[in-house]
Amino acid sequence: MISLFSPYLWLAVILWSSTMLGMGYYQGHQHGKNGCLADQAVALEEAIQQAQGQALEQAKAELKTTQEFETAREKVRTVYVKIKEKADENIEHNPDYDHCSLDADGLRLYNARPTSTSSTPATDLADSPLSGSAGLSRRTAFDPVAQQPGALSDVLRVPGETQGAGGVGYPTTRKGE
């Protein structure tokens, strides 16, 4: 019989125990590794589903914005076409529209008219006095002050005064005439 104090028995027990511990450690390592891979796969699938959901929501929002833009653009296009047709028709009925200018008397009458009390900037801009008859002097109304006729001191305009027919602040008669 084998005695408990036999070194062969203890060597066999140690070898058997080491083998079982090694096999358990190896299988535990494999199960842990597979568990980590499974957790990564689940997290990756959830991230993919979340990204697809966000992409779908973004695509829906972009489609809605595009549809609203196209609807508004079509409304503007429709209104523009109608206005253009009316303007073309009006021009056909009134061929004198291409003669758009004011003579000296017309400019005086325009500047002498009562001003609007509206505080809207567009009407204030529309009611501002015109510069001298730009079409007759072959100048645009936006020429710098230095290019206007007369001396610089004669050109400066006093606010609230109407302008003369000769240009902004330019008197109808020159000094010394």
Side-chain angles (χ1 to χ4, degrees):
M1 274 228 151
I2 300 186
S3 121
L4 285 174
F5 296 110
S6 167
Y8 295 112
L9 176 67
W10 288 110
L11 183 62
V13 168
I14 289 175
L15 284 176
W16 184 78
S17 300
S18 296
T19 304
M20 293 313 235
L21 281 172
M23 286 176 31
Y25 179 79
Y26 178 74
Q27 286 180 351
H29 176 70
Q30 288 296 326
H31 288 303
K33 185 177 173 182
N34 290 340
C36 286
L37 290 174
D39 290 343
Q40 287 177 353
V42 168
L44 182 63
E45 189 172 322
E46 288 175 358
I48 289 171
Q49 288 177 351
Q50 183 180 8
Q52 286 175 343
Q54 289 175 349
L56 182 63
E57 290 175 10
Q58 183 178 2
K60 286 180 181 179
E62 287 176 1
L63 178 64
K64 182 180 177 184
T65 303
T66 303
Q67 288 174 341
E68 289 173 357
F69 174 76
E70 288 298 326
T71 302
R73 188 169 121 184
E74 191 59 35
K75 286 180 183 177
V76 168
R77 182 179 296 153
T78 304
V79 170
Y80 174 78
V81 167
K82 288 180 182 178
I83 291 172
K84 187 174 184 315
E85 288 173 354
K86 287 181 181 179
D88 289 342
E89 181 180 319
N90 195 12
I91 289 171
E92 286 177 16
H93 293 315
N94 300 306
D96 294 336
Y97 279 169
D98 62 345
H99 305 297
C100 182
S101 63
L102 285 177
D103 59 355
D105 292 332
L107 185 60
R108 251 185 256 110
L109 289 172
Y110 179 80
N111 288 335
R113 79 198 186 298
T115 58
S116 173
T117 58
S118 172
S119 64
T120 309
T123 58
D124 290 344
L125 182 62
D127 288 340
S128 63
L130 294 174
S131 65
S133 54
L136 297 176
S137 65
R138 296 187 187 116
R139 288 182 279 111
T140 62
F142 299 108
D143 282 345
V145 173
Q147 295 178 359
Q148 299 281 336
L152 185 59
S153 62
D154 291 338
V155 177
L156 295 177
R157 181 172 172 217
V158 178
E161 285 190 5
T162 59
Q163 61 195 26
V168 177
Y170 186 69
T172 54
T173 60
R174 293 187 183 237
K175 293 178 185 175
E177 290 185 25

